[in-house]
Amino acid sequence: MSEEGVGPEGRPVVVRVPVEPVEAVMEADALDAAARNSALAVRGPLFGVASQGKDDGRRWRVVVEVTHGCPQQARDGLNSLLWFRAKDEAKSRQERRALLAAVARLENEYVDELTVLDTRYRVVRAEEYAAIDAHGDIETPRPTDPDPPAPDWSPGAGARSPRVDDTLVLDPDAPLSPLQAAERLSLRSLAYTGTRFPTPVLHDSERAVDSHPDVVLMPAAFLIVEKSGNEPWTPGSGLQATPHDARRTLAFALTWWEPRKRGLIPYEADADVDAHTIVAENTSPAVGELAAFAEAADRLRAGRLNQVEVHGTVSRIARARRLLRWGTDGPEGPRPSDINTHAPQALHPRLDEDGTVHFEEPAEDEAAS
């Protein structure tokens, strides 16, 4: 069952009442979460790249995941995407020439949009946020969030996991459940406020509400957040596609990374040395501290937990949301006040129009220095 309402710019918003059992459970899950959480915590912008082909209508397709901390990182992702297409997929010199021309621009310019072989590519800007409850705790995964029925904890399993935003289509006209529609409409007016934001950032945020008055919600993603004592939650990882991927990342951090960061395991130790192996040997003076990390990782694996505490630090699997502001010409791109951490640069060896990669030797004076 669907109903239409009037959305921004007079466009219809199609609300589809869930009737299938799985959809109904997900909607009930979302309703419980809305009742449990009373506010939103906005982390800030993330960037990726979306494309639009001639047959896509108003839809855009994510081709570089919207997880990057600055626009230039997303441009670098597009640079690599087009370079490898030129190397591996181009069917003619003409195609390869067009792809390499785009790569050349991305190596030298701050390019936020370009068209290559009838496909538009745009660096897009999303806002990352999370729901918080009355105690200030960030929402954890919901029972209906996608998770593998048989979690794989084996080494290298992460390489086989789904990537964030893989094959994601952004469709502003797609039917929404009642709660999705309510969230989307309630976030249309979201803008930065407060003295902690520089004036240009506040002005850009206000302008975006007018220039891109609609929003499109992206699928939930998951990450590790951490806190000690009364400190606020801080991010402890990047975004992952499923809660299990975030838990596996946390298990690795507890047994491998944290012991090295705290000096309990030397950085120069072999890669397969972790808290479990040293506890099993029982020869290190730090075995007691390392045992706490190993036991926390074991609890995490055995119970699919969303939170563990070790040595006063609480680590939680958080459920993050992202939204894209949307205007008459599609998703919002970077704002003037968004900061790039580095300049455009060449990322790959030179590729000629015949598809040959040239690994040039350094100049003699450079080699001598």
Side-chain angles (χ1 to χ4, degrees), residues 268-317:
E268 60 271 16
D270 291 343
D272 58 352
V273 174
D274 63 8
H276 281 113
T277 60
I278 292 183
V279 169
E281 292 173 357
N282 197 26
T283 57
S284 168
V287 67
E289 293 178 83
L290 290 169
F293 285 108
E295 290 166 3
D298 291 342
R299 294 197 309 272
L300 186 74
R301 294 184 178 193
R304 291 197 186 189
L305 302 181
N306 290 321
Q307 182 169 303
V308 292
E309 181 174 357
V310 185
H311 298 311
T313 297
V314 178
S315 299
R316 168 175 288 210
I317 307 303

Side-chain angles (χ1 to χ4, degrees), residues 94-339:
Q94 182 180 4
E95 283 191 17
R96 189 173 290 111
R97 196 179 297 124
L99 290 163
L100 292 176
V103 169
R105 286 194 62 194
L106 288 162
E107 290 177 343
N108 295 281
E109 305 174 32
Y110 292 95
V111 182
D112 290 332
E113 182 163 340
L114 73 168
T115 298
V116 188
L117 300 174
D118 296 326
T119 298
R120 298 172 70 189
Y121 295 92
R122 177 180 295 175
V123 177
V124 297
R125 182 190 198 277
E127 207 71 68
E128 183 185 356
Y129 63 98
I132 57 175
D133 63 18
H135 305 289
D137 286 330
I138 297 177
E139 183 182 14
T140 56
R142 300 174 185 174
T144 49
D145 285 327
D147 240 351
D152 187 352
W153 298 95
S154 63
R160 301 188 294 272
S161 296
R163 297 183 62 181
V164 177
D165 299 335
D166 189 30
T167 71
L168 178 62
V169 175
L170 305 169
D171 186 356
D173 302 315
L176 305 172
S177 75
L179 283 174
Q180 288 173 335
E183 182 175 6
R184 176 172 165 178
L185 294 174
S186 68
L187 291 171
R188 284 170 47 193
S189 59
L190 178 67
Y192 296 155
T193 59
T195 57
R196 70 187 183 96
F197 294 103
T199 299
V201 172
L202 295 174
H203 287 171
D204 284 350
S205 184
E206 291 173 2
R207 281 194 294 268
V209 174
D210 293 327
S211 63
H212 295 78
D214 201 359
V215 298
V216 170
L217 303 180
M218 302 182 70
F222 306 89
L223 75 156
I224 304 165
V225 294
E226 301 170 336
K227 67 180 298 186
S228 299
N230 295 322
E231 296 177 359
W233 292 102
T234 58
S237 76
L239 295 182
Q240 306 286 338
T242 70
H244 175 63
D245 291 314
R247 293 188 195 103
R248 184 172 50 227
T249 300
L250 177 55
F252 174 79
L254 290 171
T255 59
W256 198 97
W257 174 244
E258 280 295 327
R260 283 168 169 77
K261 188 171 74 171
R262 293 173 179 242
L264 304 176
I265 297 177
Y267 277 105
E268 60 271 16
D270 291 343
D272 58 352
V273 174
D274 63 8
H276 281 113
T277 60
I278 292 183
V279 169
E281 292 173 357
N282 197 26
T283 57
S284 168
V287 67
E289 293 178 83
L290 290 169
F293 285 108
E295 290 166 3
D298 291 342
R299 294 197 309 272
L300 186 74
R301 294 184 178 193
R304 291 197 186 189
L305 302 181
N306 290 321
Q307 182 169 303
V308 292
E309 181 174 357
V310 185
H311 298 311
T313 297
V314 178
S315 299
R316 168 175 288 210
I317 307 303
R319 186 181 199 272
R321 300 299 306 274
R322 292 164 296 161
L323 66 84
L324 289 159
R325 298 210 70 93
W326 206 275
T328 55
D329 192 38
E332 181 187 16
R335 300 173 184 174
S337 56
D338 290 327
I339 297 173

